[in-house]
Amino acid sequence: MAITPDELLSYAESLAGAPREVAVRAAASRAYYAAFHRCDPLAATLPDSGAGRRGVHQQVIARLAGFMGEPGERRDLIRKLGELLQQAKNLRTRADYYVDRDFTAMDARVTLSYAETIRRLVKMLVGNDS
């Protein structure tokens, strides 16, 4: 059974208000993955950024953030997606790997905000609810 980025984001939102830090961390992680899966199909249509041997996630971010298409709004929006996805990934990394450090509900809300902004920008770029 397949799921969509919207389902991941909705689940992240449901976790974000929970009182336990484990749920807040899971909310940030799911929000990042919603954003990643929303950006991945768009990034696959862009020229290779020369990201080389980076991991899949960094390749997607590099394709977006380093997009060198025609100057204008489309290029700016695509590059902004890369920046936002990187910021969301940084928070997801903190949530998933630095369990000995506090991760707050505000951190999760910021990650959710990045994911929601990414959702809107992708919709503007591709003209549907991808």
Side-chain angles (χ1 to χ4, degrees), residues 17-119:
R20 296 185 57 210
E21 188 174 334
V22 67
V24 170
R25 288 174 181 271
S29 183
R30 297 305 89 196
Y32 165 72
Y33 281 104
F36 172 79
H37 288 295
R38 193 171 306 281
C39 288
D40 187 36
L42 173 62
T45 69
L46 302 176
D48 187 356
S49 65
R53 298 183 70 121
R54 296 179 186 182
V56 171
H57 292 250
Q58 281 309 125
Q59 288 178 33
V60 167
I61 291 167
R63 278 187 177 211
L64 297 167
F67 180 59
M68 297 300 290
E70 285 282 317
E73 183 181 25
R74 183 173 188 277
R75 183 181 75 177
D76 295 345
L77 291 176
I78 290 171
R79 290 174 134 187
K80 182 69 172 173
L81 282 172
E83 294 168 16
L84 290 168
L85 190 58
Q86 180 64 63
Q87 291 170 339
K89 183 177 184 274
N90 292 344
L91 284 164
R92 195 272 309 167
T93 298
R94 281 187 43 223
D96 288 347
Y97 294 103
Y98 296 96
V99 297
D100 58 332
R101 299 180 192 159
D102 289 342
F103 193 86
T104 67
M106 178 59 77
D107 295 323
R109 283 193 297 274
V110 169
T111 312
L112 283 161
S113 174
Y114 291 150
E116 180 57 34
T117 301
I118 287 168
R119 185 193 68 75

